């Protein structure tokens, strides 16, 4: 018996029970639902249903749908979909999917216009758009607006898309992340952080150097290393040697005064609630990392340890230095220990010595990073706090607030 594909689009004010009314009509005419989607913005509904129905009852089904829509004050648009059109739709549905997350402050229209122009230029379909930030955030200059777009299409020019997004992000002052929409993206399990200038605001080595009167010399070496101009191991040993004679009480003093970067506490508390494991993989100092671990509940800490003699730093380093390659190795080792696929890991850092770790992770995020890092990493947060990483994972403001006990599950 002949069949037809029919696309039904219903719009108007959202009303409880509308879907029930429509699906009741479809069921009564023996229609098979091939696809369905619904969105509600400010109580305004857009409902689409693609059905396959026997040609002999198509006319009666359409009449019933239109009558019911009129009864409830909705607008309905109905179109036949040819088999050729349906086959083309099925073929397009099989294309690779990506998640593009856009995070901006203030007016969201310029960033979204820039992003949508890029998706159009590269012939990428936007299947869905989901707002992650609170709808009541307002329109102040400080208000966040974060949306998650599900894209479909050929990403043969992924590097070009990434380059254009980065260029527009600088021009219109927004952050973004473009990820493959895979099962791993929805099941991240381990998050590893660099410490200095990522998890905390300070560079501990620099602070110690200031106390010892060698601040300028150490800062100059640090800048060269973080910009990728100097081997990290050699630079670390040179800086450590300048601390010779500094009492260990100075390390205590600095550790007590370091401040977390914006959003760090909120991020880690939420991650713990959601069952994530966390790690600090740092070229800084083990002492400070362990203090943070106790305070925040971080699961793993791997950093560097300075040699001490009679309560004074000798200028030497104990054990293997945690450098760029060591960070990537440690990430893999922790993932193996936790029985987590590397694709389920997230790494966050700001310097050149974080790049191997960022590249190895399933999601590598450059946080307020040097230019060399932002250009190499595919995901960057430059304008917001660390808690913005929760948006890249896919959590909404409501999810986060519930995790932190700011609202209850039914609130």
């Amino acid at each position: 018996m002949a069949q037809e594909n029919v696309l039904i689009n219903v719009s108007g004010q959202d009303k409880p029970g509308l879907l029930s009314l429509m699906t009741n009509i479809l069921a009564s005419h023996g229609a098979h639902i091939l696809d369905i989607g619904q969105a509600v913005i400010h109580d305004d509904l857009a409902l689409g249903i693609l059905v396959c129905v026997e040609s002999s009852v198509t006319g009666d089904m359409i009449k019933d749908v239109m009558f019911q829509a009129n009864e409830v004050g909705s607008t309905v648009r109905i179109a036949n979909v040819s088999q050729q059109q349906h086959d083309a739709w099925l073929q397009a549905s099989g294309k690779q999917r990506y998640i593009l997350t856009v995070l901006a402050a203030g007016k969201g229209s310029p960033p979204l216009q820039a992003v949508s122009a890029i998706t159009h230029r590269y012939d990428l379909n936007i299947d869905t758009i989901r707002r992650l930030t609170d709808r009541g955030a307002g329109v102040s200059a400080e208000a966040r607006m974060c949306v998650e777009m599900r894209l479909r299409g050929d990403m043969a020019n992924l590097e070009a898309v990434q380059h254009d997004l980065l260029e527009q992000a600088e021009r219109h002052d927004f952050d973004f992340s473009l990820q493959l929409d895979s099962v791993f993206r929805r099941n991240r399990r381990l998050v590893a952080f660099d410490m200095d200038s990522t998890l905390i605001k300070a560079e501990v080595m620099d602070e110690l150097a200031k106390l010892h009167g060698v601040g300028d010399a150490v800062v100059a070496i640090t800048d060269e290393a973080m910009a990728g101009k100097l081997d990290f191991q050699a630079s670390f040993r040179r800086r450590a040697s300048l601390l010779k004679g500094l009492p260990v009480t100075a390390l205590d003093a600095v550790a007590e005064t370091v401040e977390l970067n914006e959003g760090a506490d909120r991020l880690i508390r939420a991650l713990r609630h959601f069952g994530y494991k966390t790690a600090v993989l740092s070229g800084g100092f083990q002492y400070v990392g362990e203090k943070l671990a106790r305070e925040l509940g971080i699961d793993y800490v791997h950093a560097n340890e300075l040699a001490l003699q009679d309560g004074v730093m000798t200028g030497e380093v104990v054990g293997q230095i945690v450098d760029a390659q060591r960070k990537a190795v440690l990430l893999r080792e922790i993932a193996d220990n936790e029985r987590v696929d590397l694709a389920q890991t997230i790494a966050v850092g700001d310097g050149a010595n974080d790049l191997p770790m960022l590249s190895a992770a399933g999601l590598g995020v450059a946080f307020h990073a040097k230019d060399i890092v932002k250009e190499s990493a595919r995901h960057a947060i430059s304008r917001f706090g660390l808690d913005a990483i929760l948006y890249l994972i896919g959590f909404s403001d409501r999810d986060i607030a519930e995790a932190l006990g700011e609202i209850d599950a039914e609130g």
Side-chain angles (χ1 to χ4, degrees):
M1 189 168 291
Q3 294 181 318
E4 295 180 59
N5 296 326
V6 179
L7 179 60
I8 303 167
N9 287 293
V10 182
S11 59
Q13 186 177 3
D14 187 27
K15 296 180 177 66
L18 179 61
L19 180 61
S20 176
L21 291 172
M22 289 298 163
T23 52
N24 184 56
I25 292 170
L26 301 179
S28 68
H29 290 285
H32 296 275
I33 295 178
L34 302 177
D35 195 18
I36 186 168
Q38 177 175 302
V40 178
I41 299 178
H42 213 271
D43 287 334
D44 197 61
L45 168 79
L47 169 65
I49 310 175
L50 178 65
V51 300
C52 178
V53 65
E54 292 182 5
S55 300
S56 60
V57 300
T58 300
D60 291 337
M61 183 194 71
I62 290 174
K63 288 178 184 177
D64 289 347
V65 167
M66 295 184 71
F67 176 80
Q68 188 63 73
N70 185 65
E71 283 289 294
V72 298
S74 297
T75 300
V76 65
R77 181 167 56 87
I78 298 176
N80 281 89
V81 177
S82 70
Q83 191 59 46
Q84 184 178 5
Q85 289 172 317
H86 183 58
D87 290 344
W89 172 76
L90 286 174
Q91 184 176 4
S93 297
K95 289 184 178 179
Q96 188 60 266
R97 285 176 167 78
Y98 292 80
I99 295 292
L100 175 59
T101 308
V102 180
L103 179 59
K107 296 179 180 178
S109 49
L112 290 182
Q113 188 280 326
V115 167
S116 59
I118 291 171
T119 59
H120 177 66
R121 184 183 313 144
Y122 289 97
D123 197 27
L124 301 172
N125 291 92
I126 302 175
D127 284 342
T128 61
I129 301 177
R130 182 169 72 107
R131 179 169 183 146
L132 299 180
T133 38
D134 185 10
R135 293 174 180 173
V139 293
S140 69
E142 296 78 24
R144 288 180 176 183
M145 185 218 65
C146 183
V147 296
E148 180 184 272
M149 299 180 177
R150 193 165 187 244
L151 307 180
R152 171 171 44 88
D154 181 5
M155 278 286 191
N157 294 317
L158 180 59
E159 288 188 6
V161 174
Q162 188 82 17
H163 175 271
D164 288 358
L165 285 169
L166 185 60
E167 184 179 79
Q168 291 302 312
E170 292 299 321
R171 180 176 300 174
H172 295 288
D173 203 29
F174 66 89
D175 290 334
F176 73 92
S177 168
L178 182 61
Q179 307 175 53
L180 181 65
D181 186 17
S182 69
V183 65
F184 294 119
R185 187 260 172 182
R186 297 185 292 276
N187 289 280
R188 310 286 190 198
R189 304 311 312 151
L190 169 66
V191 186
F193 300 92
D194 172 48
M195 184 169 65
D196 294 30
S197 297
T198 298
L199 198 57
I200 61 176
K201 293 181 179 179
E203 288 285 338
V204 173
M205 177 78 86
D206 295 351
E207 298 303 313
L208 291 174
K210 290 176 188 176
L211 291 177
H212 202 41
V214 292
D216 290 344
V218 166
V219 167
I221 299 171
T222 300
D223 288 343
E224 287 188 74
M226 297 302 284
K229 299 177 182 177
L230 189 63
D231 171 73
F232 181 82
Q233 288 212 22
S235 74
F236 190 83
R237 293 188 188 280
R238 281 174 55 187
R239 287 177 288 170
S241 69
L242 293 174
L243 300 181
K244 183 178 180 179
L246 185 66
V248 71
T249 52
L251 187 54
D252 292 324
V254 171
E256 287 299 322
T257 58
V258 294
E259 294 181 47
L260 293 174
N261 261 318
E262 178 190 353
D265 178 68
R266 183 177 174 83
L267 167 62
I268 292 176
R269 284 192 293 126
L271 291 173
R272 288 178 62 192
H273 175 86
F274 293 125
Y276 286 68
K277 293 293 184 179
T278 53
V280 166
L281 306 180
S282 173
F285 296 111
Q286 184 77 14
Y287 184 92
V288 180
E290 289 177 352
K291 178 177 181 293
L292 290 173
R294 290 192 296 271
E295 293 175 353
L296 300 174
I298 293 170
D299 300 291
Y300 295 89
V301 178
H302 293 278
N304 296 310
E305 189 173 350
L306 292 177
L308 301 173
Q309 185 175 350
D310 299 326
V312 175
M313 299 178 193
T314 68
E316 299 295 324
V317 182
V318 177
Q320 187 174 357
I321 289 178
V322 178
D323 61 3
Q325 297 305 323
R326 181 65 180 155
K327 288 185 180 185
V329 169
L330 288 166
L331 178 67
R332 292 185 176 92
E333 289 180 356
I334 296 172
D336 288 343
N337 185 62
E338 292 291 338
R339 294 183 173 84
V340 168
D341 192 288
L342 203 57
Q344 294 176 275
T345 65
I346 299 171
V348 188
D350 73 299
N353 65 321
D354 296 311
L355 281 173
M357 176 176 73
L358 300 186
S359 298
L363 175 66
V365 181
F367 178 73
H368 290 246
K370 315 296 185 290
D371 288 342
I372 189 175
V373 182
K374 283 200 296 185
E375 290 168 4
S376 301
R378 290 189 174 179
H379 319 279
I381 294 174
S382 302
R383 298 157 182 86
F384 301 90
L386 276 168
D387 54 335
I389 290 170
L390 293 165
Y391 297 134
L392 307 191
I393 302 173
F395 292 118
S396 68
D397 276 348
R398 183 177 180 83
D399 298 329
I400 300 164
E402 185 179 321
L404 300 179
E406 297 167 356
I407 61 171
D408 57 44
E410 291 139 16

